[in-house]
Amino acid sequence: MSLIKFFSTNGHPEHVDFRQALLMGQAPDKGLYMPEQIPQIPESKILGFPLKSYPEIAYEILKPYLGDLVEEGALRSMLHNAYNYEVPVEKVYDERYILRLDRGPTCSFKDFAARIMGRLIQYFLKQDGRSILILTATSGDTGSAVAHAFYGLDNIRVVVLFPEKEVTARQRRQMTTLGKNIFPLAVAGKFDDCQALVKQAFVDHDLAGLDLSSANSINIGRLLPQAVYYFYAHSRVTKGGEEVVFSVPSGNFGDLMGGLIALKMGLPVRKFVAATNENDEFPRFMKTGIYEPIRPSKNCISNAMNVGHPSNLARLFCLYGGRMDESGHVILQPDLQAMKRDLYAVSIRDDETRQTIRDAYLEHKVLLEPHGAVGWAGLMKYLDEYGGSGTIPCISLETADPAKFPDEIVRLTGVNPPLPAAMAKLDELQESFQKIDGSYASLKDYLRGFL
Ligand SMILES: *Cc1c(COP(=O)(O)O)cnc(C)c1O
């Protein structure tokens, strides 16, 4: 099998294998890595997925990208250990489902990518006897998922930047109560500022000695595992080959990119609903063909989606023949018609999100949190516009556990969402973190301390 190589969306001449792309995070020209070819999963294999477990499906999807870089038994065992929790597909009514991606150790869908990425990075670093510093920005849930995935490993240190005022107390506590090799950093700024700081550190030659790697959704190792649950969910609601609709609450667009990669690998999907909160730069682009980042991003209750310029749009544009640089400048317009064939983009206001949480509970006894509610509301709008889409199965992704957002949920439904076991002790643990202002000089100073 010839090994798939990865290229930079900014056009850097050097193409790398999965291992290099994973350890580097970002390409040297600030582009994001994309696979040169997208491997095809034959229909005969997809028809067999209803009988396979989550880790078995994950193996089939990821193996073509890894080739022989990871020994088969090692890969299978990493996948079994990483995916040791439930992935429920709940029927809400008729053929309308919720895919619950919130049963991992930090109760958001980010565990899916972080847990296998952590294991793969550790596997490769051990081969080289190397150690690295992972630098990552979080809008709320990446930080904790990554911190948990790498916690206690001696050849890896993790610095997590989070916007001081934009994460909930429980989200913060999931990062700040670990200690050991995990270093949380509260930034006086927004998620986009954190993300920009991280990107700058990566191209700073003064910090080369740190062997920096990223665990953001810009890392290809975060993206590919997110194709797996689309195959899995499809296999749980169809008998095999039928099309489905997915609705994906989107911020940085890593989750949606996972879905589009699944589509390009051969998964039968009629449409992806890309549902954003009031940070509607992408839905507006789909309408007008003009891309304008929102700076600063708007604060919505679905805080992990408060992204005014999603990094993964560079990949999305690339997938449809266009080109966008890291600052959001469109160098080549993508094929908008083809994008519209695959995607329905919609922005959901906070008042609609709240109403959706209320309605879903009253009408269906389903407890949604703000992100999942954006997805569900987006699906309802799509179905309204397309006349209900008949009996085609529709799956909306629930990306976090409602207990991460208790205040909002109690106010809207009167229900105090039960704390999952993974979060039970969180409110009592001791927190430890540092604060910096939003300047790059401050981050650099801090990082120099690790040299
Ligand atoms: C990160 C996150 C999202 C957005 O996912 P993207 O890949 O950034 O689009 C949605 N919901 C929750 C709960 C998240 O943590």
Side-chain angles (χ1 to χ4, degrees), residues 12-161:
H12 195 274
E14 193 191 349
H15 294 199
V16 301
D17 66 20
F18 177 84
R19 181 185 196 281
Q20 292 165 297
L22 176 75
L23 294 176
M24 289 206 285
Q26 197 177 15
D29 59 0
K30 294 196 190 179
L32 308 191
Y33 283 117
M34 279 289 280
E36 275 179 1
Q37 303 108 37
I38 298 196
Q40 295 301 300
I41 305 293
E43 196 190 357
S44 56
K45 234 178 205 167
I46 294 177
L47 290 175
F49 283 173
L51 295 175
K52 288 194 185 289
S53 68
Y54 193 95
E56 287 168 339
I57 294 175
Y59 180 84
E60 299 295 340
I61 305 307
L62 296 176
K63 176 71 181 167
Y65 295 98
L66 294 171
D68 299 328
L69 292 173
V70 182
E71 188 267 316
E72 173 176 344
L75 181 57
R76 285 195 189 277
S77 101
M78 279 188 243
L79 290 165
H80 272 95
N81 294 329
Y83 302 121
N84 60 355
Y85 51 88
E86 305 179 78
V87 189
V89 183
E90 287 175 14
K91 181 179 280 228
V92 180
Y93 68 90
D94 300 338
E95 288 296 306
R96 310 292 176 246
Y97 302 89
I98 297 252
L99 171 61
R100 288 218 177 258
L101 300 172
D102 56 2
R103 302 296 162 95
T106 69
C107 309
S108 90
F109 87 97
K110 299 207 166 70
D111 284 323
F112 281 83
R115 284 172 69 75
I116 188 63
M117 184 179 70
R119 285 164 173 80
L120 285 168
I121 288 182
Q122 197 195 359
Y123 179 86
F124 291 134
L125 287 179
K126 270 196 186 149
Q127 292 179 334
D128 296 357
R130 223 176 111 189
S131 66
I132 59 168
L133 188 129
I134 295 210
L135 183 63
T136 193
T138 184
S139 56
D141 291 325
T142 293
S144 54
V146 168
H148 279 256
F150 290 100
Y151 178 61
L153 304 182
D154 30 290
N155 49 354
I156 301 174
R157 288 175 294 185
V158 181
V159 174
V160 191
L161 279 67

Side-chain angles (χ1 to χ4, degrees), residues 107-110 138-142 171 191 217 222-223 226 229 248-257 275 302-305 307 310 312 369-372 397-401 404-405:
C107 309
S108 90
F109 87 97
K110 299 207 166 70
T138 184
S139 56
D141 291 325
T142 293
Q171 285 176 316
F191 169 64
S217 60
R222 285 279 307 282
L223 201 63
Q226 292 177 176
Y229 44 75
V248 188
S250 294
N252 216 14
F253 282 71
D255 196 354
L256 182 74
M257 271 306 298
S302 46
N303 66 0
M305 292 167 23
V307 185
N312 277 296
E369 52 69 57
H371 307 81
L397 276 53
E398 174 50 287
T399 48
D401 191 295
K404 281 193 147 179
F405 310 88

Side-chain angles (χ1 to χ4, degrees), residues 122-423:
Q122 197 195 359
Y123 179 86
F124 291 134
L125 287 179
K126 270 196 186 149
Q127 292 179 334
D128 296 357
R130 223 176 111 189
S131 66
I132 59 168
L133 188 129
I134 295 210
L135 183 63
T136 193
T138 184
S139 56
D141 291 325
T142 293
S144 54
V146 168
H148 279 256
F150 290 100
Y151 178 61
L153 304 182
D154 30 290
N155 49 354
I156 301 174
R157 288 175 294 185
V158 181
V159 174
V160 191
L161 279 67
F162 63 91
E164 190 177 9
K165 299 219 169 72
E166 290 184 16
V167 300
T168 69
R170 277 185 185 152
Q171 285 176 316
R172 190 188 64 239
R173 289 179 154 273
Q174 285 184 313
M175 302 179 265
T176 58
T177 56
L178 288 168
K180 282 196 184 167
N181 59 328
I182 309 299
F183 303 90
L185 211 47
V187 177
K190 297 183 155 282
F191 169 64
D192 288 308
D193 301 322
C194 298
Q195 188 152 262
L197 287 173
V198 165
K199 285 184 175 176
Q200 202 171 342
F202 275 106
V203 293
D204 186 339
H205 293 292
D206 297 346
L207 299 176
L210 285 176
D211 214 347
L212 288 179
S213 181
S214 108
N216 269 8
S217 60
I218 60 178
N219 191 307
I220 192 75
R222 285 279 307 282
L223 201 63
L224 298 176
Q226 292 177 176
V228 174
Y229 44 75
Y230 292 92
F231 280 94
Y232 176 83
H234 175 270
S235 77
R236 267 39 188 185
V237 306
T238 67
K239 294 190 182 60
E242 307 99 281
E243 286 189 329
V244 301
V245 170
F246 282 106
S247 183
V248 188
S250 294
N252 216 14
F253 282 71
D255 196 354
L256 182 74
M257 271 306 298
L260 290 173
I261 287 189
L263 172 75
K264 304 289 175 190
M265 291 178 81
L267 185 68
V269 180
R270 162 95 43 102
K271 198 72 101 178
F272 286 94
V273 178
T276 70
N277 59 26
E278 292 167 34
N279 292 284
D280 63 348
E281 60 281 350
F282 183 69
R284 274 192 296 112
F285 169 78
M286 290 285 279
K287 275 206 189 79
T288 63
I290 299 167
Y291 180 69
E292 285 173 299
I294 295 182
R295 295 199 174 102
S297 59
K298 294 186 189 156
N299 279 348
C300 296
I301 56 171
S302 46
N303 66 0
M305 292 167 23
N306 292 339
V307 185
H309 169 48
S311 299
N312 277 296
L313 288 188
R315 285 194 171 110
L316 185 59
F317 274 44
C318 173
L319 199 63
Y320 289 91
R323 187 152 160 189
M324 175 188 275
D325 75 9
E326 65 283 355
S327 59
H329 184 65
V330 180
I331 293 152
L332 180 64
Q333 194 72 353
D335 181 345
L336 204 54
Q337 280 323 106
M339 271 167 112
K340 284 184 179 165
R341 234 179 7 250
D342 295 343
L343 293 172
Y344 170 84
V346 59
S347 159
I348 305 295
R349 295 187 314 268
D350 268 358
D351 63 300
E352 297 172 298
T353 306
R354 292 194 170 100
Q355 192 61 43
T356 302
I357 294 174
R358 272 191 213 103
D359 291 349
Y361 187 70
L362 281 177
E363 291 167 22
H364 306 296
K365 285 281 169 280
V366 169
L367 210 52
L368 297 175
E369 52 69 57
H371 307 81
V374 168
W376 186 254
L379 177 62
M380 294 301 121
K381 288 209 170 175
Y382 168 77
L383 292 174
D384 278 349
E385 199 159 316
Y386 285 76
S389 284
T391 56
I392 185 169
C394 298
I395 304 163
S396 188
L397 276 53
E398 174 50 287
T399 48
D401 191 295
K404 281 193 147 179
F405 310 88
D407 303 346
E408 198 69 51
I409 312 284
V410 172
R411 229 159 27 77
L412 294 168
T413 64
V415 178
N416 195 359
L419 213 52
M423 287 168 68

Side-chain angles (χ1 to χ4, degrees), residues 415-437:
V415 178
N416 195 359
L419 213 52
M423 287 168 68
K425 292 248 164 63
L426 207 55
D427 295 346
E428 297 145 36
L429 297 173
Q430 186 70 35
E431 286 191 88
S432 154
F433 61 99
Q434 298 217 28
K435 295 185 185 188
I436 61 165
D437 61 29

